[in-house]
Amino acid sequence: NVTDILLYGLPSAIVCARLYYVLFKLDEFETFWDIFKIWNGGIAFYGGIIGGMLGLAMGCKLRDQKILPFLDLAGGAVLIGQGIGRWGNFVNSEAFGCNTNLPWGMTSPKIAAYIARHSEETMGAVMDPNLPVHPTFFYESLWCAIVLLVFCYVMKKRKFDGQMFLFYLGWNGFGRMLIEGLRTDSLMIGPFRISQLLGALMFVFAVC
């Protein structure tokens, strides 16, 4: 059942991850067909989460399965995938933060070139291309690893269906709310970082 239902969740997650990015970056696409060129980059994590939930809901409905236990399983799996996937940002020299003098600061020619060609308004901070930046990808990967350990412990004491998915939403939202504030390439809605705002809403929802 898990395998069958994932066949609904995975395609839906990929499509929605792309749509989420496109909706907030419409100015990057010159033609309608450019939207489909996903190999050029441009997907968003939260879009994937939303799409995956929609796909799982459809799969569970068609297979006559309860969705909340599936979401509980997905919470742990997503933490693993999210933690590993962030290292793709390191390979691509993207999803980095503002300048830092901390010993683990990172830099590369690609990062320096990105900073040099973007304005202070675009990045939300005064940036020096010659200085290291916060490795925000690593912060999130480490956060996911720590939360996963706690997740595995709490899972043994699960008391109701949906509890572990709420756990994931709350702790992931709290981490993104903090880490996203350091980033310089966030998707924006007006003056707000979308992922930071959504992370805060997820945290409040889970707590409530």
Side-chain angles (χ1 to χ4, degrees):
N1 282 326
V2 170
T3 303
D4 291 344
I5 289 173
L6 280 177
L7 294 177
Y8 295 94
L10 185 58
S12 177
I14 295 172
V15 170
C16 289
R18 179 61 169 178
L19 285 176
Y20 187 99
Y21 179 87
V22 169
L23 286 174
F24 294 105
K25 287 285 188 178
L26 282 173
D27 57 322
E28 289 188 0
F29 302 95
E30 295 181 2
T31 70
F32 174 75
W33 300 111
D34 288 339
I35 292 173
F36 298 95
K37 297 178 181 178
I38 196 169
W39 53 87
N40 289 335
I43 58 174
F45 173 76
Y46 277 139
I49 293 294
I50 294 169
M53 288 177 62
L54 293 175
L56 286 179
M58 182 188 303
C60 286
K61 180 69 174 177
L62 294 174
R63 302 286 296 184
D64 194 27
Q65 298 290 317
K66 295 191 296 182
I67 186 173
L68 291 180
F70 275 91
L71 290 177
D72 281 342
L73 288 173
V78 171
L79 279 170
I80 296 171
Q82 185 179 347
I84 296 172
R86 279 301 173 195
W87 284 86
N89 298 136
F90 172 73
V91 173
N92 292 331
S93 295
E94 62 188 7
F96 52 83
C98 53
N99 291 132
T100 179
N101 292 319
L102 294 171
W104 54 80
M106 59 179 280
T107 189
S108 73
K110 188 174 180 179
I111 290 174
Y114 178 93
I115 294 172
R117 69 173 183 267
H118 286 83
S119 66
E120 175 186 337
E121 291 74 19
T122 301
M123 294 185 290
V126 178
M127 298 285 289
D128 185 338
N130 300 311
L131 294 177
V133 296
H134 280 286
T136 49
F137 83 92
F138 177 71
Y139 297 162
E140 186 167 338
S141 183
L142 183 61
W143 178 255
C144 288
I146 293 170
V147 173
L148 178 65
L149 292 176
V150 183
F151 182 100
C152 291
Y153 173 77
V154 176
M155 183 76 164
K156 299 174 183 177
K157 304 177 181 296
R158 185 176 73 117
K159 296 181 179 179
F160 59 90
D161 290 343
Q163 178 182 346
M164 300 314 301
F165 191 66
L166 281 176
F167 177 96
Y168 167 77
L169 289 180
W171 285 107
N172 177 70
F174 183 75
R176 286 299 290 270
M177 180 177 63
L178 300 178
I179 296 169
E180 195 72 23
L182 295 172
R183 283 183 55 175
T184 57
D185 60 346
S186 302
L187 294 175
M188 305 292 289
I189 181 167
F192 301 104
R193 290 178 168 86
I194 298 168
S195 292
Q196 191 174 34
L197 182 61
L198 190 54
L201 291 174
M202 285 168 53
F203 176 69
V204 172
F205 171 79
V207 169
C208 291

